[in-house]
Amino acid sequence: MAVYSYDYDFTYAPSAPVVEIIVTSDLSATALTLVALLDSGADATMLPFAVLEQVQAEILETRYLCTVTGKRTIVDIYRVAIQVGPYHFRAVRAIATDSPAEIILGRDVLNQLIVTLNGLAAVTEISQ
């Protein structure tokens, strides 16, 4: 079994587990390589609207999202393909966000991987 390692991001305090992902869609040949924050508390993957627009992601629906504070907000959900290392996930339902900076890889993708967070070494290991 191959294991892929990613260093933590020290711009966060405390440092945070991140991985490099590639985002594409069925509607475009554009592929964007991005750094995503791993969030096992997030139900779904969240991508900035600008990223979804660049890869010409297909909008699927508009839904309510309940934030960690309990606030309800309306969001658009798009279909994208995400690659983590050699692992491909097609038809990921990504929530569009207004935040241009943070990309969240949620449990919709993480639950399909073996993810080991080694905080002492500041390394994330991914396998399947």
Side-chain angles (χ1 to χ4, degrees):
M1 167 177 52
V3 177
Y4 297 84
S5 296
Y6 302 89
D7 292 331
Y8 275 33
D9 184 339
F10 288 95
T11 61
Y12 290 92
S15 59
V18 296
V19 297
E20 189 174 88
I21 64 172
I22 299 172
V23 179
T24 60
S25 80
D26 293 337
L27 304 177
S28 170
T30 302
L32 298 178
T33 301
L34 308 163
V35 175
L37 182 66
L38 302 183
D39 189 347
S40 63
D43 295 341
T45 294
M46 302 176 81
L47 296 170
F49 177 73
V51 168
L52 297 165
E53 193 172 55
Q54 275 187 276
V55 298
Q56 298 176 356
E58 174 189 2
I59 189 166
L60 297 175
E61 61 184 326
T62 299
R63 304 279 309 254
Y64 280 104
L65 172 121
C66 186
T67 68
V68 69
T69 63
K71 179 183 172 191
R72 281 177 44 144
T73 185
I74 295 174
V75 295
D76 291 326
I77 299 174
Y78 291 77
R79 181 186 358 253
V80 295
I82 293 178
Q83 181 179 339
V84 181
Y87 310 116
H88 295 267
F89 305 96
R90 309 221 186 284
V92 173
R93 296 168 55 87
I95 297 169
T97 67
D98 292 330
S99 170
E102 288 207 333
I103 296 159
I104 304 292
L105 198 61
R107 287 193 319 271
D108 56 340
V109 173
L110 296 176
N111 283 349
Q112 300 177 64
L113 296 165
I114 298 169
V115 180
T116 304
L117 303 180
N118 184 338
L120 296 177
V123 171
T124 299
E125 294 179 341
I126 302 282
S127 59
Q128 192 173 38

